[in-house]
Amino acid sequence: MPSIFWIGCGFAALICFMGTMVGARSQSSTFLGGMAIGAMSGFMLAFPLIAIGLASS
């Protein structure tokens, strides 16, 4: 796999982790809610990098 694919996966994982932490610390949200929002946002942000990495492999 090209390195651009792994950079995209790293972005997705980092944003998922950040969403989890924000959801866990929030008084109006839950841990799983923050994780779900972080995972979706991370995947949407990293999708172009992941797609380029898959297309060039």
Side-chain angles (χ1 to χ4, degrees):
M1 286 287 170
S3 62
I4 192 85
F5 174 80
W6 297 113
I7 292 171
C9 288
F11 279 152
L14 178 68
I15 293 173
C16 182
F17 177 72
M18 288 171 42
T20 303
M21 290 297 110
V22 168
R25 294 182 52 88
S26 176
Q27 293 180 1
S28 63
S29 181
T30 63
F31 175 82
L32 292 177
M35 187 156 127
I37 292 170
M40 186 63 185
S41 298
F43 180 74
M44 288 173 37
L45 174 76
F47 182 76
L49 298 174
I50 293 171
I52 291 169
L54 288 174
S56 63
S57 65

